[in-house]
Amino acid sequence: MVERNTGTSILAHAIMILGALVVAFPIYLAFVASTHTSQEIMQTPMPLLPGSHLWASYSAALTGSGQDNASMPVARMMWVSFVTTTIITVGKISISLLSAFAVVYFRFPLRKLCFWAIFITLMLPVEVRIGPTYQVVADLGMINTYAGLSVPLIASATATFLFRQFFLTVPDELVEAARVDGAGPMRFFKDILVPLSSTSIAALFVIQFIYGWNQYLWPLISATSQDMYPIGVGIKQLIGTGDAAPEFNVIMATAVLAMLPPAVVVVLMQKWFIKGLVDTEK
């Protein structure tokens, strides 16, 4: 039995509190900046307490009623991000489940070669293959569409590998029992494998949702009009490069709003996310 040491416990809690403050302070600073005017933010030192322009800043961000660069409605950008992120997340999980199922439970020529071909694509991120990917998407007429923003990103070698490793731990007796009961491959997949994989699916959903929501480079080149900008690209466009001074209060309000959907997903699925990562009783 491990004995509790008061000094060690206090030190551990102090380190955790300090770490939490270091992580939370930039978020707090962004929120404070969103409640002041742009002129107040530019003062030295910048105010560290919330101001009185919270409603004005967030209203301007959501409706796009700001001036100059701050004219893109965040509501539209967040909708584009939500749609593309949902497609990416659901697509990655669905394709990875089916790919891992095929690699583990079907016997076909060059099966291992197919798996390793999938696995090797981990070394080929979007940045490496962005040129040919853009050419294919352009040839298919998917530039500046939801499909063009999401379809090139829905394959995931990492998720396929994780599901494959889990499927390998499923007892062969379950396969035999399903076969005796007359269950075909897809019924075995739907009624047994998918429910058993629920915690892994939940963990991957959180990871892939954040991955899709934070995409920047691919949407930057595949979205050619303002109404198809996701939130990551939109924040950069709000800053602008012209002579007009950026409205930093609106930009900070946009940044705070952009953090909310991933935070909500993590909070709502925290229990399943942790269980999917650490649960060993498969």
Side-chain angles (χ1 to χ4, degrees):
M1 184 175 180
V2 179
E3 296 183 359
R4 293 186 177 181
N5 187 304
T6 304
T8 304
S9 179
I10 293 175
L11 177 62
H13 281 79
I15 293 174
M16 287 190 294
I17 292 172
L18 180 62
L21 290 175
V22 170
V23 173
F25 183 72
I27 300 174
Y28 172 76
L29 203 61
F31 172 74
V32 169
S34 69
T35 64
H36 290 274
T37 64
S38 187
Q39 292 74 21
E40 291 172 341
I41 296 172
M42 298 302 293
Q43 293 177 358
T44 303
M46 174 185 162
L48 295 179
L49 295 177
S52 58
H53 291 77
L54 184 147
W55 172 252
S57 297
Y58 284 88
S59 176
L62 286 170
T63 61
S65 58
Q67 299 176 358
D68 301 320
N69 294 317
S71 60
M72 292 184 291
V74 174
R76 172 63 185 178
M77 293 189 292
M78 293 184 71
W79 172 251
V80 173
S81 289
F82 177 77
V83 172
T84 56
T85 299
T86 302
I87 295 173
I88 291 170
T89 303
V90 175
K92 278 180 177 289
I93 292 175
S94 302
I95 293 174
S96 299
L97 276 169
L98 291 170
S99 300
F101 176 59
V103 168
V104 173
Y105 290 101
F106 288 85
R107 301 294 182 264
F108 53 89
L110 305 177
R111 179 168 61 101
K112 289 187 177 181
L113 179 62
C114 291
F115 168 72
W116 285 110
I118 295 172
F119 189 72
I120 288 173
T121 61
L122 284 172
M123 296 182 287
L124 296 172
V126 175
E127 292 78 6
V128 174
R129 52 185 171 84
I130 199 163
T133 301
Y134 182 85
Q135 184 64 49
V136 171
V137 171
D139 291 343
L140 294 175
M142 295 195 303
I143 295 296
N144 207 48
T145 64
Y146 288 114
L149 289 169
S150 56
V151 170
L153 303 175
I154 65 173
S156 174
T158 304
T160 301
F161 175 74
L162 292 176
F163 282 127
R164 173 187 178 269
Q165 296 305 109
F166 169 69
F167 289 166
L168 290 174
T169 66
V170 176
D172 293 336
E173 289 78 7
L174 280 177
V175 183
E176 297 299 327
R179 185 178 293 114
V180 170
D181 288 342
M186 294 310 299
R187 184 177 178 184
F188 171 71
F189 172 77
K190 178 174 66 73
D191 293 342
I192 297 178
L193 285 184
V194 172
L196 286 175
S197 307
S198 58
T199 54
S200 298
I201 292 172
L204 281 170
F205 181 90
V206 175
I207 295 171
Q208 300 300 343
F209 188 91
I210 296 173
Y211 164 84
W213 188 267
N214 291 332
Q215 280 297 311
Y216 175 76
L217 181 59
W218 175 249
L220 182 65
I221 67 171
S222 61
T224 58
S225 65
Q226 181 175 299
D227 65 335
M228 288 301 295
Y229 284 159
I231 192 69
V233 177
I235 292 175
K236 174 61 176 66
Q237 298 300 322
L238 288 175
I239 297 174
T241 57
D243 297 331
E247 295 191 49
F248 285 109
N249 57 326
V250 179
I251 295 171
M252 290 298 103
T254 303
V256 172
L257 291 170
M259 289 186 286
L260 293 180
V264 170
V265 170
V266 171
V267 170
L268 293 180
M269 302 190 67
Q270 181 180 13
K271 177 181 177 182
W272 289 94
F273 175 66
I274 295 174
K275 188 176 181 181
L277 294 180
V278 305
D279 190 10
T280 57
E281 296 180 4
K282 303 294 186 181

